[in-house]
Each structure stands twice: as C-alpha cells, then as structure tokens.
Amino acid sequence: MRSLLSGLFCVLLCTSCMPLMSGEQDLDLSGQEVRLTLLHTSDIHSRLIPYDFAPLKTDTDLGIVPEAGPFGGATRMGAILKRERTRSSRLLHLDSGDCFQGAPIFNLNNGQAEMSFLSRMGLDAAVIGNHEFDAGLLNFVEKTRDFATFPLMAANYYWDSPSDPGNAQALLNTVPYVIRNVKGLKVGIIGMANISSLNSLVEGGNSLQATPLEQNEAARAYVEMLRPVVDLVVAVSHLGMHEDQDLIRGYEAFYEYERARPYLEREHEPWQLMEYADPSQEGNPKAVVRVFIPGVSGLDAILGGHLHVVLNPPQQLSDPSGRKVLLVHSGAFAKYVGRADLVVKVPKADERTIDGAEIVSNDYRVFPLDGLWCDDAMRAYYKDNFWNAGQFINAPGVRQAIARCQEMEDRETTDLLQPFLLGMDFNMQLTSIFSYAPRDVARRNTSTGGDSPLGNIAADSMRKRRAVEAEMALTNSLGIRDNLYAGVVSQESMFNVFPFENTINLMYLSGVEIQEMLDFVAERSAERGCVSQAQISGARFTMDCAQVQLNDLRIPCTTTDNCPSENREGHAPWQCLQDQDGSRCYARPATDVVINGKPLNPNGMYRVAVNDYIAKGGSGFSVLKRNTTRQETGISLRDSLIGYMQGFCTCDDLLDPDKPLPKTSKTGEYCGTLVNGEWKIDDQLINFCTQAKAYKTSLTEALKNQTVGTCSCEEVLPPRADAAQRCGVEGLTPEIIRSTCLGSVPQGPYTGRCYCRDALGGAQECGTVTKQLETFCKNPTEMPIANAVEDNRIGRRVK
C-alpha cells in the first residue's frame, strides 16, 4: 500500500535529476520518415556457453534446427549483434533483464562474465531482472559498478534507507530512465523492473530494502515527464507479458480506500471505483475496494521479458488515447536475438505536439542461435525438406556449413570468456559423468500436469538423503530449471537443472500446516492451468483446481447451509470462512492427502524436507516462513540429486539372471517403479540395456564399414593412420581406432552430441573426449541408469 504514496515521491525526486543523454549532435529530422533499429535481448540467464536442449515445436517454428546443436552462446550472440550494427545506421541495443543465473559460469563468478560481455557488446540500456539479486543486493551493485558500462534501470523501485551502504550503491548504480540521441532522433527509455517474482520485495522490512511502486502510475509519471523532450518513448520491461499488456490496457486491483482516494478523485486519468469488497464497509476509509487502474498513454513500444516467450509477429496494442503501441518479446536463454526495424515519422516543427514522433510501420525478425546461425540458405534447406531424425546433419554440406559458422563466431568474446572457462574446468569438473539417461527426463508433466519424472527423483533425493531422512519432501517446480536430456548425465547438466545454490532445510510441520501448504500449491497451480507448481516425495494428494475456481467466486454465507450443495462428490466439505473481506464459502482445494501411506493426521507432527528458498517464504510459501523449526542442512539440492542418481540400478543389475526382482548393487533398493504395490520395469529400459550389453560384447569386433566421426574405419586404420588428421581428430592413434571401432552393432549409446563411435574416435564435432567418456563407452552397462517416471503422486481435478 505504501507504493502509491511513494510513487509520487520518487517521481518528484527524479525530476530534479539530470536525464542521461547520449548520442550524436542534434540533426533536424523535422518532417522526415527515418528508420530506427532496436536490437533486443532478454533473459540470457548466464547461457554464455553453448548448451544442449531438446527444441520444442515453437523453437523449430522460429527457425532453430534441432540437429544444429549445441545452442546459444555469447560468441554467436556477439557475432550477430556486431553484424546487425553494421547493417543499420540508426540503432539501439536494449536488454530486458535476467542476464544472471542459469549456468555454472554464474555460480562461480556471480555475474562478472555477463556484465563484461554485455558491456563489450555496447549495450545501450538494460532493465533490472529479478534474478539479478540472486547473489544478494551487494553483489548486484558491485558487479554493476565494476563491470557494467551501460545503465541499469528500474523506474518502479524506490530504494529505502539510502544511508545503508547497499542501498546507497543501488541508488547510485540504477536509474529510472535514460535518453538516447540516435542521430537526431531522441528516444526516452524507461525501465520497468520485476515485482511479481520478488516475493520479499512486497513485504515491509524486506532484504532489498526497496519499495515496489505501482507499475502504471510509475510509468505514467515518467512518460509525462519525458514526452515534451523526446520523439519516442520505449519501455524496457521485466514485468511479464500480461503485466506489459496491463501497462497499456489497464487492470483491476484491490486497495484500501484511503490509499486509493487521491487517484480516484484526481481529474487527469482517474482510477475507477468498481466496488467495495464488503458492501457493509462502504464509507470506511480502511475498507478494501476494487479499482480499475487505467492504462498509460504516450508509450510507443514495450520490449518485454521474464516469461521467456517470443512474440513473432509482435503484438499491436492501443493505449487509452488510441495510439498504437508495439509489444515485443524475444525469448530467453540466449536462443535468439530480436531485431525490430521501425519507420518513425517525425512531425514538422510547426506541427509538433506533445505526442512527438510516431511509429508508422515496423518489421520484426528473430535470429536463432544454433550451429547454423550464419547460414540462412542452409536453414531454409532444412525447413523446405522433410528429414528423419539424424538425417539432416549428414546431408551434403551441413557439417561444413556449421564449421564455417563456427569460424565466424566473435573472437573478442572468445578471448573474454577464456579465463572464465579455465576457471570452471579447474574448479567445477563439469565434464564429470555419473549417470546415463536412455531418454529425456522431463521437469514438467506434459500429460496430466501433476508430478513430473525429474521432479519425483529430485524430491525423493531430498527426502532420502542421509542426515535428512524425512517423512515428506516438497520443492517448487520452478526451482528445477531444465530437463535431463538423453545421453550421459554430467556435472554440467546438473548445473542446468539446479542453477541456484539452494539447500535442503528440515522443518517440523503439523498436519494443519501441511494441509495449508498443499492448499497453497493447489491454488497457485490453478492459476497456471492446473499444472503443479510443486514436486513432492513421501506423499500423495489431489489438486482440486475446480474448487479453487469456486472459492474465487467468494460466495457469501452466514452458515455452511448457504453454500452450494450440488455436485459435491469428491470435493472437500464447505466451510463458512470469515476473513478480512467478510464471510464466504470455502473448501480446501488439496484433497486425499496421504503421508507415508496413511491419511494426513491434522494433529500429527511430520518431519519435512524443503528447499531453503521456500522455507524462507519464497514463491509465496508463507506457511513455511511462519514456522520456527527450520534447520539448515547445508546440503545442496544439486549434490543431493547427484548422490541419489549414483545409486540407481545399472544395466548389469537389471539384466542379472540371478535376480528375478532386480535391486541396485549399491543401495539394495529395488529397480523400477512401484505401481499399485508392484515393482515395474518398463520395456524401453530393458531394451536399452539389452542393446548396451550387445554393444559392449561386440566392441572389439571391428568392421571396416563402420565409421568414426566423418571417416570410415577403413580410412583411418593403418597404413592410412594419417587419415586421422584429415578427419579433424587430434591425438587419434591406430591402437585406439582398433579397440574402439564398432562391430556389427548399431552406433552405441548416445553421449550427448555424438554416438560412441564418434566419441571414442575423438571426432571434432564431439568436443573434448575425456577418459571418463571413453570408459563409459567401453563399459556402458556399468553406469547407473537415470530412470524416472510419473507415478501420479500428484493428481488433479479440473471439474
């Protein structure tokens, strides 16, 4: 509620500040139509090194070639940014935030590499993302101060306690807006930082000591201030796509009447009073009212982020005055660079109004950052033909095209990243392998929206961890940031799954608290399509999303007899709940709660493992924040999952004829999944292990028609050992070739980017071939198998 009053105060403060102005000397553009290019990046999330992922159809529709991995990377992004600068005479590069967190380079360097890279690229301005604070406010201001040559903006934050060193530095190192003079075209750029994902930000006494300002009023104040002195006004936003739309269209909100009254009574763009939440409180200044906050007039474009989506084509919105506003989102994880080309009509001097210039047309394009980033013709070749899996990469000219693009990557960025890469190799052992995934292990449930394969084993690893040994575990789904992809599971892939340095916390929760926690999970999941926002172990429950919708109707009541009685089978019983807004019908949306096979006991006490983020109230888990039993174990979720997977069954365990019900040789636990009281091992897993065993048996039976990389064994076997050099294979000897060329079996287990036939030969496209990878390829049946499935521990009801 403070935000409404603080918003005006902050704007008044900033009107006394000198706006940041840069660019060339003024040119007279009156009456002309000029072109302006906006290069847009967003949500890079530390993906400065190319990485593997399984492209979705949305990715392929946007031009990514699935077989041209790995994807992303700063050297490709840098090359495209520099190339596009040469193709436009009037250009700005703007970033929508969250350059921090998401890959090991951040875990080791806390943002230095990201800030240094964007500075080298000549970034004009960036908005602050919520993940910029993941290593703390002090780290953010230090990295900004020491390595950022571009301004970081947040028009909707008011920094409290400027006497505090951290806040004083934040105040000095952030600005609400900048003005750029781009060859005579003056562009005002307003930064709209994130609020929705910073739960601690909206609470008094928060660790950032910052007050969030109501987004539309903050933007409105700066637009009105900038309009008289600029031609265009652009918002660079990390609010989220829906919030970006609300910025233009307006939205409904709840406020105390006393706080909202000045905005309801003002003459210029007043808020609209919709209703009192409790009609009996009408006239009470402390009563909660529903208001409509009008959209902002005067913006020309919004470059948004946070939701990791691409809008292609961009959306065209209309502000309250009828002005067209361009809304652009350009994706995430360094997969794309967006380019918006605007035609701007500058009015004649005697026709100029407060509205300034106008965008009369636009053209938008996204550049995919895969191995073919520099070759549009080869990308079109892929798009215009049908290819079976694995076929395109072996088509004529494809590998050569990828090699050409690799040669064109930005060498300045390569030099910049080199010390960071060496540091990671030395300190993090990212190539270490500890498991093998025959198929992708998904972090999301795409069939029912309940528990996910990766979420299940992540939560299981927390609950079963030595020194934790809890009755139940729960972690937030969004804390699991990537899938485990088919192939070898390395330390690097685990950093992609758990980029945050979250740890396991132990808590003792009553049955009532567990019910409240799971009710919150159901309510939060219902807001997101009834897709579970938490993953659990040791428990089962059903998310009644249909009940959440009924609860949201806020049906008034005096007794439970006033609540609807039709179609209640399977729903929890109604309560006539009294809260700050009056009495309403309410039923618990988390039903059929079972802990360790027994119904939840409201009066019981349970030992529960959660991650430290939600234990402190993150993601809205206020029930955990109120609990005072939290114990920090210091065990990271990443290490917990790694240790758990190292104890999984191997193919040798699964195919052991002496074990009718296979158990892992390391922990003695049964292999497979418990379904209706019986342990099941799926056929796909058995088929993989059978092939792996045949591959291992036939490994030394070299046949000359099998290939190593791009060459056949006949070409590289003696006396033609010099062929190894022609194949781009460094250090390949005839002895290695003899022992590793495949026999009459298929290509062997997949190792990420290459098959074992390639990895053992050290083919150039496989990257570094470690001894550990060679050992795995020679003995695939001895590696723990990363097997995980959905087991319906989280059900859902939608009607």
Side-chain angles (χ1 to χ4, degrees):
M1 301 298 182
R2 293 176 57 195
S3 61
L4 297 178
L5 298 178
S6 300
L8 289 178
F9 175 65
C10 181
V11 171
L12 291 173
L13 266 179
C14 291
T15 55
S16 64
C17 302
M18 290 295 292
L20 295 177
M21 177 85 74
S22 70
E24 310 209 3
Q25 292 183 348
D26 283 352
L27 301 174
D28 186 6
L29 303 178
S30 299
Q32 299 182 40
E33 287 190 352
V34 298
R35 295 183 179 275
L36 173 67
T37 296
L38 300 178
L39 293 182
H40 184 218
T41 52
S42 182
D43 296 275
I44 292 173
H45 283 296
S46 303
R47 297 301 181 101
L48 304 185
I49 313 301
Y51 61 97
D52 290 305
F53 82 103
L56 303 174
K57 186 178 185 302
T58 52
D59 293 308
T60 57
D61 288 344
L62 289 165
I64 279 184
V65 178
E67 294 182 45
F71 306 93
T75 55
R76 294 170 183 168
M77 179 177 283
I80 284 180
L81 291 171
K82 289 182 176 181
R83 182 190 71 190
E84 296 308 303
R85 281 190 180 276
T86 66
R87 295 178 175 180
S88 178
S89 60
R90 189 176 277 107
L91 179 144
L92 290 172
H93 174 199
L94 303 173
D95 184 88
S96 288
D98 270 5
C99 67
F100 283 6
Q101 188 68 270
I105 199 168
F106 176 81
N107 298 76
L108 192 63
N109 301 285
N110 292 323
Q112 177 183 344
E114 294 86 315
M115 288 291 184
S116 300
F117 165 67
L118 290 173
S119 295
R120 292 280 186 95
M121 293 302 104
L123 180 64
D124 290 284
V127 71
I128 299 171
N130 49 294
H131 285 289
E132 264 70 274
F133 301 114
D134 279 3
L137 175 60
L138 187 58
N139 177 75
F140 165 73
V141 297
E142 287 177 347
K143 297 301 183 289
T144 302
R145 179 194 64 210
D146 298 340
F147 303 107
T149 60
F150 53 90
L152 284 111
M153 306 177 296
N156 53 333
Y157 286 177
Y158 171 66
W159 298 104
D160 301 330
S161 306
S163 60
D164 179 270
N167 285 75
Q169 286 292 320
L171 192 61
L172 288 172
N173 287 279
T174 61
V175 294
Y177 68 94
V178 297
I179 298 175
R180 295 297 191 215
N181 187 338
V182 192
K183 293 188 176 179
L185 190 70
K186 299 182 183 68
V187 183
I189 306 164
I190 302 171
M192 300 301 297
N194 182 266
I195 293 175
S196 61
S197 295
L198 285 171
N199 294 86
S200 63
L201 186 63
V202 298
E203 300 176 3
N206 62 70
S207 59
L208 290 181
Q209 296 182 326
T211 298
L213 310 178
E214 194 286 311
Q215 63 173 46
N216 285 29
E217 289 305 310
R220 196 185 328 274
Y222 284 109
V223 169
E224 291 178 357
M225 185 173 64
L226 292 173
R227 260 288 157 220
V229 296
V230 300
D231 298 305
L232 295 179
V233 180
V234 176
V236 183
S237 165
H238 199 76
L239 293 168
M241 186 169 68
H242 298 298
E243 290 82 355
D244 292 339
Q245 294 167 340
D246 291 343
L247 200 61
I248 303 303
R249 296 171 177 169
Y251 68 102
E252 294 182 1
F254 288 90
Y255 280 94
E256 286 183 4
Y257 179 76
E258 181 180 31
R259 300 288 185 181
R261 185 167 60 87
Y263 300 90
L264 293 166
E265 296 178 351
R266 72 185 181 188
E267 293 184 7
H268 177 60
E269 296 183 310
W271 293 8
Q272 299 176 34
L273 176 62
M274 308 296 288
E275 64 178 359
Y276 280 82
D278 182 355
S280 67
Q281 292 291 308
E282 187 170 347
N284 180 356
K286 296 293 186 182
V288 175
V289 294
R290 182 164 64 95
V291 298
F292 178 79
I293 302 174
V296 180
S297 294
L299 284 169
D300 294 285
I302 301 174
L303 304 185
H306 185 54
L307 286 192
H308 301 176
V309 299
V310 177
L311 291 179
N312 190 17
Q315 289 185 0
Q316 290 276 1
L317 307 176
S318 293
D319 72 15
S321 69
R323 188 186 190 93
K324 296 299 182 183
V325 183
L326 190 70
L327 176 59
V328 175
H329 279 242
S330 298
F333 301 116
K335 290 190 292 185
Y336 308 100
V337 172
R339 173 175 171 142
D341 289 292
L342 315 178
V343 176
V344 181
K345 183 177 181 180
V346 182
K348 295 179 180 179
D350 58 351
E351 298 176 354
R352 187 177 182 91
T353 67
I354 192 67
D355 291 332
E358 178 187 3
I359 298 174
V360 294
S361 67
N362 72 87
D363 182 66
Y364 178 74
R365 178 181 178 185
V366 286
F367 300 104
L369 298 185
D370 56 20
L372 291 170
W373 66 269
C374 75
D375 197 324
D376 290 340
M378 191 61 72
R379 193 180 307 281
Y381 177 47
Y382 173 82
K383 184 179 180 180
D384 295 341
N385 294 273
F386 177 80
W387 304 94
N388 294 320
Q391 185 180 14
F392 176 71
I393 192 67
N394 293 312
V398 173
R399 293 183 187 273
Q400 291 86 343
I402 291 175
R404 284 195 303 272
C405 288
Q406 186 175 12
E407 287 298 315
M408 295 173 64
E409 291 176 9
D410 185 49
R411 297 307 166 203
E412 180 186 10
T413 302
T414 301
D415 294 340
L416 171 70
L417 295 180
Q418 194 63 36
F420 297 105
L421 295 175
L422 293 174
M424 287 194 296
D425 287 343
F426 182 78
N427 292 290
M428 306 182 87
Q429 298 180 338
L430 296 179
T431 57
S432 177
I433 299 169
F434 54 86
S435 186
Y436 181 84
R439 58 194 172 203
D440 290 350
V441 182
R443 69 186 180 105
R444 289 180 177 148
N445 184 319
T446 56
S447 55
T448 69
D451 58 283
S452 70
L454 185 52
N456 286 348
I457 60 174
D460 287 345
S461 74
M462 295 168 61
R463 179 173 65 89
K464 298 179 181 180
R465 178 77 179 194
R466 186 183 306 169
V468 176
E469 297 160 345
E471 296 171 86
M472 175 188 174
L474 183 143
T475 189
N476 58 314
S477 298
L478 286 178
I480 305 172
R481 304 296 285 190
D482 201 359
N483 302 326
L484 284 178
Y485 297 105
V488 290
V489 179
S490 66
Q491 184 85 352
E492 182 175 11
S493 60
M494 293 305 300
F495 269 96
N496 293 335
V497 170
F498 282 127
F500 312 122
E501 298 298 336
N502 291 129
T503 56
I504 300 174
N505 281 196
L506 268 173
M507 306 184 81
Y508 289 88
L509 302 180
S510 68
V512 172
E513 289 176 308
I514 287 180
Q515 180 69 60
E516 182 181 349
M517 176 177 69
L518 297 180
D519 285 339
F520 170 73
V521 170
E523 289 164 355
R524 193 172 180 87
S525 302
E527 298 172 356
R528 294 162 171 80
C530 206
V531 175
S532 182
Q533 298 301 297
Q535 301 296 318
I536 61 173
S537 175
R540 309 181 77 87
F541 80 106
T542 298
M543 304 181 300
D544 191 345
C545 296
Q547 185 60 55
V548 174
Q549 295 176 331
L550 291 173
N551 290 341
D552 288 344
L553 295 176
R554 305 186 68 86
I555 302 170
C557 62
T558 54
T559 68
T560 56
D561 293 337
N562 302 131
C563 301
S565 58
E566 298 83 9
N567 302 319
R568 293 302 299 167
E569 184 178 355
H571 295 288
W574 285 113
Q575 306 172 46
C576 188
L577 182 68
Q578 177 73 35
D579 60 20
Q580 62 178 3
D581 298 328
S583 298
R584 63 185 178 98
C585 294
Y586 175 84
R588 295 200 173 278
T591 63
D592 307 321
V593 181
V594 174
I595 307 289
N596 288 328
K598 298 180 181 179
L600 178 68
N601 178 5
N603 300 315
M605 188 64 67
Y606 297 89
R607 183 179 169 97
V608 181
V610 296
N611 72 58
D612 62 328
Y613 171 68
I614 63 172
K616 299 171 185 175
S619 290
F621 281 85
S622 57
V623 61
L624 299 181
K625 186 175 183 179
R626 294 195 305 266
N627 188 285
T628 60
T629 64
R630 183 172 71 90
Q631 301 175 23
E632 174 61 71
T633 68
I635 302 168
S636 79
L637 268 62
R638 186 187 310 117
D639 291 342
S640 176
L641 183 55
I642 289 173
Y644 186 61
M645 293 173 64
Q646 286 175 323
F648 280 5
C649 291
T650 66
C651 284
D652 288 341
D653 294 326
L654 289 166
L655 300 178
D656 189 340
D658 297 328
K659 297 179 181 177
L661 190 58
K663 294 183 179 181
T664 171
S665 56
K666 293 184 178 180
T667 65
E669 291 193 3
Y670 289 111
C671 305
T673 305
L674 189 63
V675 180
N676 297 325
E678 295 185 22
W679 289 95
K680 303 286 187 180
I681 302 174
D682 63 87
D683 293 338
Q684 186 178 0
L685 195 61
I686 294 296
N687 289 339
F688 163 75
C689 286
T690 302
Q691 292 178 14
K693 186 174 182 179
Y695 162 75
K696 178 181 177 181
T697 302
S698 306
L699 185 62
T700 58
E701 300 174 10
L703 294 180
K704 293 182 178 181
N705 63 347
Q706 295 297 322
T707 60
V708 176
T710 57
C711 306
S712 70
C713 287
E714 183 175 15
E715 290 178 299
V716 294
L717 282 170
R720 299 295 304 279
D722 62 317
Q725 185 174 3
R726 300 200 315 272
C727 293
V729 182
E730 185 175 349
L732 186 61
T733 66
E735 291 73 24
I736 294 176
I737 295 169
R738 288 194 190 95
S739 63
T740 59
C741 280
L742 306 188
S744 57
V745 296
Q747 297 154 317
Y750 194 59
T751 60
R753 296 179 59 191
C754 306
Y755 290 98
C756 278
R757 66 178 185 189
D758 303 318
L760 288 169
Q764 187 178 30
E765 60 267 27
C766 295
T768 302
V769 179
T770 65
K771 288 293 183 182
Q772 194 176 21
L773 184 59
E774 289 186 19
T775 300
F776 160 71
C777 285
K778 294 175 182 177
N779 302 287
T781 63
E782 298 175 10
M783 181 70 73
I785 302 300
N787 182 46
V789 296
E790 305 156 12
D791 59 14
N792 299 316
R793 62 182 72 176
I794 302 178
R796 68 173 191 169
R797 180 172 183 164
V798 294
K799 61 181 180 178

